[in-house]
Amino acid sequence: MNVTEAILVLKENGYKYTDKREALLQIFSKHDRYLSAKEVLEFVHANFFRLSYDTIYRNLAIFVDLGIIEQTELSGEKHFRFSCCSSHHHHFICNQCGMTKNIEFCPMDGVAENLIGYQISSHKFEVYGTCPNCEK
Amino acid sequence: MNVTEAILVLKENGYKYTDKREALLQIFSKHDRYLSAKEVLEFVHANFFRLSYDTIYRNLAIFVDLGIIEQTELSGEKHFRFSCCSSHHHHFICNQCGMTKNIEFCPMDGVAENLIGYQISSHKFEVYGTCPNCEK
DNA sequence: ACGCAAATCGGAATGATTATGATTTAGAAC
DNA sequence: GTTCTAAATCATAATCATTCCGATTTGCGT
């Protein structure tokens, strides 16, 4: 997923092009890790854009809906990052910088048969720690 | 883990016995599922106890520290439940009632070797859905 | 260029959680 | 059992992320 593709996806789903939306997408394109709403706001402001929290949250929710970005909860706050690829996968997430590394293995495979009668709607598998870069 | 054991653990770690703490532990003993702080407060009040949020959060944090209860984040709110057993395990969690079912399988086994250079501090594997009881 | 629904603004509201300063209490020492 | 002190609790205010709202602006089809 890149900025141009994302804008196309927005169009396809009836959302308009706006400079704010492009600015948001650029941020995610440039910073390839999990960002809090506040971080996003600061990056946008650094680029001489005015932007309200309302706009941030509203658009990020739309982006998540459309699969443009991924969302997770880190220490009580929502964090967002560009969708790295369409295939189902999980993440190692660095507690320091928010960097992620894909984990292709999905633990659901061997689990469903032990949950007969339970309707499974979703699952979460995340590994937390420190990435080699922050380790130094 | 039961109430008496929990009080013992508190004593061993230099925490005093109080009727509020016992009331909290009784709630968890009685309601074997993930509870929000608000639910805990309501249950306690129903038992004719006065209790402030401060006391709830402070004690629940202590309980988590001592391994008396477990904590997770469900739809943006902290939830707590009695530690069911000491062995490492994961959970199916019902979105409706907060009920849990243990999943003994731990996906970390086959994953660590693919994360050389990454220091792993913790991980989370949770399956969400509807339990047979809420399904009806 | 016009019109309108969608998008944005900014400021207020919400709701969970945490901090504060005063008061009460458990439990040890006498 | 009385006293003492640190811990625990209380009530309230503060904080912080997130959402809501009414007013204004803007993208884009006509």
Side-chain angles (χ1 to χ4, degrees), chain B residues 115-131:
Chain B
L115 290 168
I116 293 169
Y118 295 76
Q119 186 161 355
I120 296 169
S121 64
S122 64
H123 65 280
K124 182 172 202 166
F125 174 44
E126 289 180 349
V127 182
Y128 311 100
T130 310
C131 71

Side-chain angles (χ1 to χ4, degrees), chain A residues 3-37:
Chain A
V3 176
T4 318
E5 276 173 38
I7 291 172
L8 208 60
V9 172
L10 282 168
K11 279 246 169 77
E12 283 167 359
N13 288 83
Y15 293 99
K16 295 177 177 170
Y17 167 89
T18 70
D19 49 357
K20 318 294 166 105
R21 282 182 177 149
E22 171 152 10
L24 286 174
L25 292 167
Q26 294 290 359
I27 297 298
F28 285 111
S29 168
K30 192 167 175 185
H31 301 94
D32 192 22
R33 58 187 184 85
Y34 270 112
L35 303 170
S36 67

Side-chain angles (χ1 to χ4, degrees), chain A residues 116-135:
Chain A
I116 294 170
Y118 295 76
Q119 188 160 356
I120 297 168
S121 64
S122 64
H123 65 281
K124 182 172 200 168
F125 174 44
E126 289 180 348
V127 182
Y128 310 101
T130 309
C131 71
N133 206 34
C134 290
E135 187 62 29

Side-chain angles (χ1 to χ4, degrees), chain A residues 108 111-112 114-123, chain B residues 92-96 99 101 126-136:
Chain A
M108 282 309 291
V111 164
N114 296 319
L115 291 168
I116 294 170
Y118 295 76
Q119 188 160 356
I120 297 168
S121 64
S122 64
H123 65 281
Chain B
F92 169 92
I93 303 174
C94 178
N95 291 324
Q96 268 71 50
M99 160 272 178
K101 176 175 161 56
E126 289 180 349
V127 182
Y128 311 100
T130 310
C131 71
N133 207 33
C134 290
E135 187 63 27
K136 299 172 203 161

Side-chain angles (χ1 to χ4, degrees), chain B residues 83-98:
Chain B
S83 269
C84 31
C85 47
S86 52
S87 78
H88 178 79
H89 63 275
H90 299 283
H91 278 140
F92 169 92
I93 303 174
C94 178
N95 291 324
Q96 268 71 50
C97 70

Side-chain angles (χ1 to χ4, degrees), chain A residues 11 16-18 37 53-54 57 77-78:
Chain A
K11 279 246 169 77
K16 295 177 177 170
Y17 167 89
T18 70
Y53 269 114
D54 183 80
Y57 282 112
E77 291 175 34
K78 290 182 181 170

Side-chain angles (χ1 to χ4, degrees), chain B residues 11 16-17 37 53-54 57 77-78:
Chain B
K11 279 246 170 78
K16 294 179 179 172
Y17 167 90
Y53 267 115
D54 181 81
Y57 282 112
E77 292 176 33
K78 290 182 181 169

